[in-house]
Amino acid sequence: MVICNKRKSVLDYPGHILVEGGPGAGKTTLALLKAQSIFENELLHKNQKVLFLSFARATIYRIEEQAKGFLANGEKKALEINTYHGFTWTIIQSYGYLLKKHRHFKLITPPNFAAGKAGFKTQEEIDNYKYHLLDTDGIICFDIFAELVTELLERSLKIRSLLSDKYPFIIVDEFQDTDSNEWKIIKLLGQKSKIIALADLNQRIFEFRGASVKRIPEFNEHFESLRVDLGKENNRSNGRDIVQFGDDLLTGKNKGKIYNDVHINYYNYNKKDLRLPLFIEIQQAFKRKKMQGNNHSWSLAILVKRKLDTLKISSYLTSKKINHEVIIDPEGPALAASVISKLMEPTTDWDYGTIIDSLLQHLKGRKSTKISLADLKLIEFLEAYQQGAKIVGAKRKQLIAEIEMIITERQNLIFTGSPDKDWIMVRNLFQKSEHELLHNLYEDAIYIRLLNKGAVLLEKLTEQWRRSQCYQSASKLVEDALTQEHFAMTNRAYSGVFVMNLHKSKGKEFEEVIIWEEQYNPIISSDPDRTEQDKLVLRVAVTRARSLATFFTPKADPCILL
């Protein structure tokens, strides 16, 4: 990287700094160079660290890999890279007892919270449930971490001082996405620590969780800071016009314009194979990969609007025998994992009612949003059935019969002692189920990624089998693994084919990106209140590509931005 004057000003400036720039402008690289400068100028005392905070766990691996190119081993140890959730959780663990009567706190994972709040009709009811868990049982939801830490820091100068003494320099990635409480934390720590904020206003895609267009001006007003704008410099896809296309989307300049590295394809409705154009494009991508030679880091992301579209595309790729990985919201798969792990336990450790309870948890929480009337009626039926109510209706009789069949077949299973094989054996008990509840559980379970080679859960289940020749407490091990997964730094490179929604592409990079707009489900909403936010999301998705972005839109009803 060329150290131009404005970059050098960042390295030399001793106070608060705001670095702005578009995708691939080098904000992260400049922040790491700043950390290197801090180390070389011996601005840290013994046991002090530079803290690098990021929202997306997916970016941690990339940051760590980049750091290897800049920092010596001793310097890397003095750079702590963490997520906002991970950082605030450590503070709560250390000092949370000062706010609440509990000495120790427990976490409730988002899937379990989604199941617990099922049936509540208003946000007030959900909030009351959330704070009841905290006040009564010391159980904390992830989305109030920042709120609790804000209160701790506001009320305790000593805690603020201790944290600033440990982290005299704090790098804040994706600053534009901070909510009001996260911004308060930064302001409070910035009273003593020096804040280096990295931001791109046009990557502000989390307004639904409290991000604000005012955040960058607020930083400038609150801190007497150096402000550096890297503009549209592009190191990720240097020499290509991908970022230019993304910027043009926001202003409408893309219409009628030809781009070298962004291809727009209008596909026709094909009743026999609607997604055939997608399949053909993936085959072309594989050919391009082959031309590059043995490139282990090659990756292709297929990005869609909704979770449902993600699952549709995944099923389609599976039918075409294309190996891929799906990145989706955790609620459905996590709660499906709880059911499977409970059934893996010795039959003496659970009964019919236990399995019904697990199925209810999955039904209540899998969508993470307001439950449909049909699901509510099914929940009411299962809860009443547990209390001895009669089964009325053919569909409900079918459900109970299928549950009984699954339990009977489970009791006849003989496990191999290989957790991954035994897991699939239990999962497949649901495969032929015709009732929607059980079929949905099987579909969700396909996307569980806890038993990959080398995974901690796999090791623990294997150890449990060696000790007792059974999977005792398997459901507890799964719960622990899901909690750790939420904090785990994604220390992996993205290679191969991935399917996810547009939002989940944030913080990731791929060699190629295909954006697939499903028939009758436009990516850009016609609602004026949502259109601008949808544009920003689409810009982020397009600019995840390093070499090529391809956009498929239905010819009969094309994207309104094209």
Side-chain angles (χ1 to χ4, degrees), residues 210 440 502:
N440 287 339
L502 301 170

Side-chain angles (χ1 to χ4, degrees), residues 4-23:
C4 58
N5 288 335
K6 58 184 172 184
R7 287 183 169 82
K8 191 173 187 309
S9 69
V10 170
L11 304 184
D12 295 340
Y13 192 73
H16 303 294
I17 302 171
L18 173 66
V19 178
E20 296 179 79

Side-chain angles (χ1 to χ4, degrees), residues 416-432:
T416 67
S418 296
D420 47 350
K421 294 178 182 176
D422 295 338
W423 183 284
I424 292 172
M425 201 186 301
V426 172
R427 185 189 75 189
N428 287 347
L429 295 176
F430 295 85
Q431 188 171 11
K432 295 180 181 178

Side-chain angles (χ1 to χ4, degrees), residues 288-440:
R288 289 189 288 269
K289 174 194 174 186
K290 193 173 182 180
M291 289 175 63
Q292 293 178 16
N294 189 19
N295 185 355
H296 295 293
S297 65
W298 181 88
S299 55
L300 167 66
I302 301 165
L303 308 181
V304 293
K305 174 79 171 180
R306 306 172 300 171
K307 174 185 174 181
L308 180 60
D309 300 332
T310 303
L311 301 180
K312 285 180 180 177
I313 295 298
S314 175
S315 296
Y316 179 75
L317 297 187
T318 300
S319 72
K320 295 292 187 180
K321 296 183 170 33
I322 295 177
N323 291 328
H324 63 283
E325 186 170 334
V326 181
I327 300 176
I328 60 174
D329 292 328
E331 284 80 3
L335 293 168
S338 296
V339 178
I340 291 171
S341 59
K342 177 55 69 176
L343 282 167
M344 286 180 72
E345 293 177 357
T347 54
T348 54
D349 289 358
W350 51 265
D351 57 23
Y352 188 78
T354 311
I355 301 306
I356 295 287
D357 286 339
S358 296
L359 291 170
L360 275 167
Q361 283 288 98
H362 178 260
L363 177 59
K364 289 176 179 179
R366 70 180 296 262
K367 294 179 181 176
S368 76
T369 54
K370 188 177 287 188
I371 294 182
S372 67
L373 183 59
D375 284 347
L376 277 175
K377 288 182 177 179
L378 188 53
I379 290 166
E380 290 171 2
F381 158 67
L382 287 172
E383 290 176 339
Y385 172 72
Q386 285 185 295
Q387 301 301 317
K390 288 182 65 176
I391 310 170
V392 178
K395 192 115 185 201
R396 291 178 176 181
K397 288 179 180 178
Q398 176 198 25
L399 171 60
I400 297 304
E402 288 187 353
I403 293 172
E404 289 174 345
M405 178 63 71
I406 287 169
I407 290 174
T408 299
E409 291 180 352
R410 159 61 188 97
Q411 290 168 335
N412 294 327
L413 285 182
I414 299 174
F415 286 142
T416 67
S418 296
D420 47 350
K421 294 178 182 176
D422 295 338
W423 183 284
I424 292 172
M425 201 186 301
V426 172
R427 185 189 75 189
N428 287 347
L429 295 176
F430 295 85
Q431 188 171 11
K432 295 180 181 178
S433 300
E434 294 183 7
H435 194 279
E436 188 178 25
L437 184 153
L438 302 176
H439 179 73
N440 287 339

Side-chain angles (χ1 to χ4, degrees), residues 137-159:
D137 301 312
I139 296 174
I140 304 182
C141 304
F142 288 102
D143 63 355
I144 60 173
F145 279 13
E147 179 183 331
L148 293 175
V149 170
T150 296
E151 187 176 353
L152 278 168
L153 297 183
E154 285 178 334
R155 293 173 59 178
S156 176
L157 173 61
K158 186 173 183 180
I159 295 175

Side-chain angles (χ1 to χ4, degrees), residues 97-111:
Y97 70 92
L98 297 172
L99 290 179
K100 303 294 177 182
K101 63 182 180 181
H102 308 284
R103 185 69 197 182
H104 299 288
F105 294 90
K106 294 172 286 186
L107 296 172
I108 182 168
T109 60

